[in-house]
Amino acid sequence: MNKPIIRVCLAALLGLPMAASAQNYAELDQANSTLGFTYTQMGVSLDGKFPRFDASLTYDPAAPASATTRVVVPLAPIDTGSAEGDAEVQGKDWFATDTHPTASFTSTSVEAKGPGQLLVTGTLSIKGNDRTVSVPVSVTEANGTATFDGTLKINRTDFGVGAGIWGDPEVVAHEVSISFHLVAAPAAQ
């Protein structure tokens, strides 16, 4: 008789609940993952996205506090919703991609806040400025994958993004929402 059958029989005989077998998710499904942002310019809410990014993560639902993530985002290309905006944000008043070609987030702690709910804290680095941030994350497991969804609101001026005439919150609001949808498959065996 094999061990899984013995475990099921013992659990049934003793009236013990069966724990779901834990899955360690670590393979990012790049094609189905997205990273976007929402900003307000002259009173109009606009959406943009980062068409490329790399993420490494580990997540075991049985041990959420041991989860880790690191996301690195090349800031060129960027999709602000207009070709003119895409070119403008590459300059020194915005991302200064000549000297700061990427932004990154590296987790430092993960706290379970309830079923399928995490609070992920880490270092967000943009344009050479590092800030500790915390973001609520919803986790959904289905069809052999885990999906991580969340939105982080930041003040862009904390990172030196949007100087000169762009520093005026009447022109471009200081608050920016960064949203992500990361899909991960189990780690390769």
Side-chain angles (χ1 to χ4, degrees):
M1 189 176 276
N2 68 32
K3 289 181 182 179
I5 292 174
I6 292 171
R7 236 178 65 202
V8 171
C9 291
L10 283 173
L13 288 172
L14 298 173
L16 299 174
M18 282 296 295
S21 65
Q23 191 64 263
N24 185 14
Y25 297 96
E27 299 293 325
L28 183 70
D29 178 348
Q30 192 76 44
N32 291 305
S33 298
T34 59
L35 180 61
F37 55 94
T38 301
Y39 63 104
T40 303
Q41 184 170 340
M42 301 182 92
V44 177
S45 180
L46 300 165
D47 294 317
K49 65 182 175 182
F50 297 100
R52 293 186 3 229
F53 61 94
D54 294 311
S56 60
L57 58 91
T58 60
Y59 175 72
D60 179 351
S66 66
T68 63
T69 188
R70 176 157 169 76
V71 179
V72 178
V73 183
L75 297 172
I78 188 172
D79 181 356
T80 63
S82 79
E84 182 182 340
D86 298 350
E88 179 67 37
V89 298
Q90 303 302 313
K92 68 180 175 86
D93 286 344
W94 287 96
F95 289 120
T97 57
D98 286 347
T99 54
H100 303 286
T102 63
S104 66
F105 173 81
T106 304
S107 65
T108 55
S109 69
V110 177
E111 181 183 354
K113 298 303 259 183
Q117 300 297 313
L118 305 173
L119 182 64
V120 179
T121 299
T123 303
L124 180 62
S125 181
I126 303 172
K127 203 176 176 182
N129 297 290
D130 296 345
R131 298 284 185 271
T132 299
V133 297
S134 295
V135 58
V137 178
S138 296
V139 182
T140 306
E141 292 180 84
N143 302 320
T145 63
T147 303
F148 305 87
D149 290 294
T151 300
L152 172 65
K153 293 184 180 195
I154 64 167
N155 182 325
R156 64 182 174 83
T157 62
D158 289 347
F159 298 92
V161 175
I165 64 164
W166 304 112
D168 182 350
E170 296 297 317
V171 177
V172 179
H174 288 177
E175 184 177 89
V176 176
S177 294
I178 303 167
S179 299
F180 56 88
H181 175 79
L182 303 177
V183 179
Q189 298 295 327

